[in-house]
Amino acid sequence: MTRYEENVDHDNMHFPDWLLFLRAWRVAFSRFKLWGATTLVLLLLSLPSFLQTSSAFRGMIGNRYPDAAESRDLHGSMGAPALNLGEVFRQDHRGALAQLDGSLAASGAALAFLAFLFGVFAAGGWLQVIFEQPHRQTLRRFGFGGARYFGRFLRVGVLSVLALGLVRWIWYGAPWSYIVEGLILDVPAYDRGKLETLGSERQVRSLGWLQDGMFAVAFAKVMVWATYTRTRMALRDGRSAVFAGVATAFLMMRHPVQTFRPLLLLLALEALVVLGVCGWGMGAAQARFDAEPGGWQVAVMFGIGALALVWRQITRGARYHAAGRVSQALVLPTEQRPDPWAQTIGGPGGPQYPVADDGYHVTV
């Protein structure tokens, strides 16, 4: 057995089982060039905001806070969501802080949009490598797949945003207010949204938890649907995002366990590390920074954040790997839509071409 044959993943030869998520994570982790490159790009996208904030605070602080004891009012509680600066510091620099918030909001929106576009590109790259399984020049094939599927996957991204808007309107808009609060709970029209006529505060809180929980489930379903829609388009070289989306929705309804199980297990694994391990580590580092501010605590917090980003990029690749193997098992080729990845030839790391029926010449 050659080295290439040892490294090729043959999950598509077996019907996916519940251990698929572990195999998918292992294969994604072995593609260190891919998740390393995507992590580096996202870190570079965060650099402008960091430099902008650092420059602004350097100008505001100057030499007026010479030691840790006198800087307490500056950093306050770093564990607070909005960086709880001291009241005196906020009052002294309210104009500069307002200007910083405005500029960060504008640049942050632009950078978030660039990150979204890069996520669309990365999805095509991961799926190209997953289905083609090149053993060399994987980063090159990643870039080729990202460019090849970018337009199609961007349409899927637009459909996903529209679907999320519809889901939010259903759970937090008129449908929830009319059906749940009006018909089921018999809340008067003037009190819908406030819920002051309900029997107790506990009932209001439980209803809010139910509403948020159902929205979270619907949000997760839309994300899973988007992943399988992109995977289906890459698997069958489809071009219609609407057709692939409708077909994927029916596939998820027919096979809910097979489609949801690996992605939900990967989500649980991601949450365990990112929110559990990295979240605990970040909290401990921030507590040490509050007690004794210093450069090494900042370096530790940066390292923990980078680790969480790396883990998320590996898990992202694992999700597409698992979705690809499930789709190969459930979406069978037909005469009208044969499997474009079944028989191909081409140089290692280069373009792959389908083999004709006679097995001797190449169709271009």
Side-chain angles (χ1 to χ4, degrees), residues 23-85:
R23 295 194 298 272
W25 193 93
R26 175 183 58 83
V27 173
F29 178 76
S30 67
R31 303 287 189 182
F32 61 92
K33 290 183 180 180
L34 305 187
W35 56 258
T38 56
T39 301
L40 179 61
V41 170
L42 293 178
L43 287 176
L44 290 177
L45 286 177
S46 67
L47 187 60
S49 297
F50 165 76
L51 294 177
Q52 188 176 8
T53 305
S54 176
S55 176
F57 274 94
R58 188 180 297 111
M60 287 184 284
I61 296 172
N63 297 320
R64 291 183 290 274
Y65 297 91
D67 53 36
E70 296 183 18
S71 67
R72 301 295 184 197
D73 187 62
L74 168 63
H75 65 79
S77 175
M78 293 296 291
L83 187 61
N84 184 22
L85 302 175

Side-chain angles (χ1 to χ4, degrees), residues 113-124:
F113 181 69
L114 290 178
F116 167 76
L117 294 180
F118 178 73
V120 173
F121 179 88

Side-chain angles (χ1 to χ4, degrees), residues 160-193:
S160 302
V161 172
L162 295 177
L164 289 176
L166 177 62
V167 166
R168 189 181 187 284
W169 175 73
I170 291 174
W171 295 116
Y172 292 101
W176 176 273
S177 177
Y178 178 76
I179 297 175
V180 177
E181 297 179 356
L183 298 181
I184 299 178
L185 298 178
D186 197 23
V187 176
Y190 66 86
D191 190 43
R192 294 174 188 175

